Amino acid sequence: MSLDTYICKILSHKEIAPNVFDVTVKAPEIAAAAQPGQFLHVKCGDEIAMPLRRPISICSAGSGCVRFIYQVKGKGTEGLTKENDSLDILGPLGHGFVIDNETYKKPAVIGGGIGAYPLLYLTQKLKNAKVFMGFRTKELVTLETDFNMCAKEVKIATDDGSYGYHGFSIELLEETLKAGEADIIYCCGPKPMLKAVKDMAEKYNVKCQVSLEERMGCGIGACLTCSCETKTEGTWKYKRVCKNGPVFWSDEVVL
Ligand SMILES: Cc1cc2nc3c(=O)[nH]c(=O)nc-3n(C[C@H](O)[C@H](O)[C@H](O)COP(=O)(O)OP(=O)(O)OC[C@H]3O[C@@H](n4cnc5c(N)ncnc54)[C@H](O)[C@@H]3O)c2cc1C
Ligand code: FES
């Protein structure tokens, strides 16, 4: 985790799906330190109108550059769409995914919606990952080509059946688990998906890491805005998603 902020030159900024923007910035220090699953805290406007930064995951990093993808939700992410030459970024922040290619030889990576974005960098670092991505509809499907370049297999599901498998990506994951073809699961997506994947991991007795999303203030462990409930008893029952996470072992957290 780095508490340094950097003014990062924007190298590219393009809309890749309706209201979804793909950004690459020059950020040598962040790129050198970035781990899959970590996030950036990005200033989205001037200090007075928008004092709080917004957390955005690292989608990939290397060669002195960092890539992230954001979906416009409200005032903060709307502010990012403005024509800027550079962005003020704090990071990389948080604890990312545990990667152990010796112990886990059959990783399964599952994501939904904006949860797909941090999983690209993870998949690039894993060996032989099977990737399952779910989107609402065809026009929101992103990163398929990028995942194909680094994964063993990529399956896309859409809720409305307009592209790929008609249904939820977790149904595809279950086929893999039933066949004994996964020894660890990595998941990032909306809470109901995290919960369903956590339950499935328990059913098939497979280790699982989940990346949680909570609203954030400081992003560095100082304000407690982002607390999540864990199974630890006593004072440390609540942990900070920004500092102790955003990635946790699924059996550590209450979802
Ligand atoms: C660790 C982490 C990594 C993230 N990575 C990405 C990413 O790679 N790409 C991306 O597009 N988004 C990502 N997000 C979500 C992103 O931070 C929020 O969408 C953003 O902060 C919304 O700010 P806003 O001002 O645009 O919207 P607001 O006006 O603050 O909110 C608009 C709507 O979004 C909801 N919302 C706001 N923050 C969150 C949140 N943290 N989780 C769920 N719902 C929220 C609000 O409840 C409201 O309905 C991440 C969040 C976290 C915590
Ligand atoms: S956002 Fe302040 S403690 Fe996590």
Side-chain angles (χ1 to χ4, degrees):
M1 176 166 130
S2 159
L3 297 185
D4 292 321
T5 60
Y6 303 95
I7 304 300
C8 305
K9 185 173 163 41
I10 297 175
L11 302 176
S12 84
H13 187 180
K14 49 183 186 282
E15 192 166 8
I16 54 168
N19 277 322
V20 177
F21 293 82
D22 189 339
V23 185
T24 300
V25 292
K26 183 117 193 96
E29 295 88 350
I30 299 176
Q35 300 296 322
Q38 287 189 304
F39 67 95
L40 309 169
H41 221 18
V42 184
K43 199 175 255 190
C44 299
D46 74 71
E47 196 83 56
I48 295 168
M50 204 153 342
L52 290 182
R53 293 167 183 268
R54 298 296 191 271
I56 303 288
S57 303
I58 294 168
C59 176
S60 66
S63 306
C65 299
V66 176
R67 180 183 181 192
F68 64 88
I69 299 180
Y70 68 93
Q71 185 174 51
V72 176
K73 283 273 177 70
K75 224 168 50 160
T77 41
E78 179 68 50
L80 285 180
T81 64
K82 301 220 169 77
E83 291 275 316
N84 292 309
D85 294 331
S86 59
L87 288 171
D88 180 329
I89 298 178
L90 164 64
L93 297 178
H95 274 282
F97 294 102
V98 170
I99 297 173
D100 182 347
N101 285 316
E102 289 310 308
T103 307
Y104 304 107
K105 301 212 184 285
K106 296 184 286 184
V109 174
I110 177 163
I114 62 170
Y117 312 145
L119 298 175
L120 178 63
Y121 194 27
L122 169 72
T123 305
Q124 288 168 342
K125 299 282 181 189
L126 292 171
K127 283 190 189 144
N128 297 320
K130 287 192 173 194
V131 172
F132 307 95
M133 288 295 143
F135 299 91
R136 265 192 293 117
T137 188
K138 182 179 179 180
E139 65 175 359
L140 294 175
V141 175
T142 41
L143 293 181
E144 186 180 8
T145 309
D146 301 72
F147 276 115
N148 268 317
M149 286 166 71
C150 54
K152 182 178 177 191
E153 186 181 1
V154 180
K155 288 188 177 166
I156 307 284
T158 48
D159 299 357
D160 63 4
S162 53
Y163 190 77
Y165 174 76
H166 186 178
F168 296 124
S169 50
I170 189 164
E171 292 155 18
L172 298 170
L173 172 69
E174 184 154 30
E175 286 171 19
T176 293
L177 291 170
K178 261 190 202 152
E181 288 171 2
D183 55 9
I184 188 166
I185 305 168
Y186 298 97
C187 181
C188 185
K191 222 173 209 164
M193 178 186 210
L194 296 182
K195 174 148 180 35
V197 170
K198 170 184 157 77
D199 291 347
M200 199 173 278
E202 279 164 20
K203 179 175 163 192
Y204 289 93
N205 197 23
V206 170
K207 295 293 286 178
C208 176
Q209 292 219 298
V210 288
S211 181
L212 304 192
E213 240 198 57
E214 287 295 337
R215 297 211 68 145
M216 287 188 181
C218 67
I220 55 169
C223 73
L224 305 184
T225 305
C226 64
S227 300
C228 72
E229 191 178 352
T230 70
K231 292 190 176 151
T232 313
E233 288 306 322
T235 325
W236 303 107
K237 190 171 174 64
Y238 287 88
K239 291 205 170 156
R240 291 157 294 179
V241 170
C242 68
K243 195 169 177 197
N244 307 112
V247 179
F248 295 88
W249 288 103
S250 65
D251 53 11
E252 245 186 295
V253 286
V254 178
L255 291 172

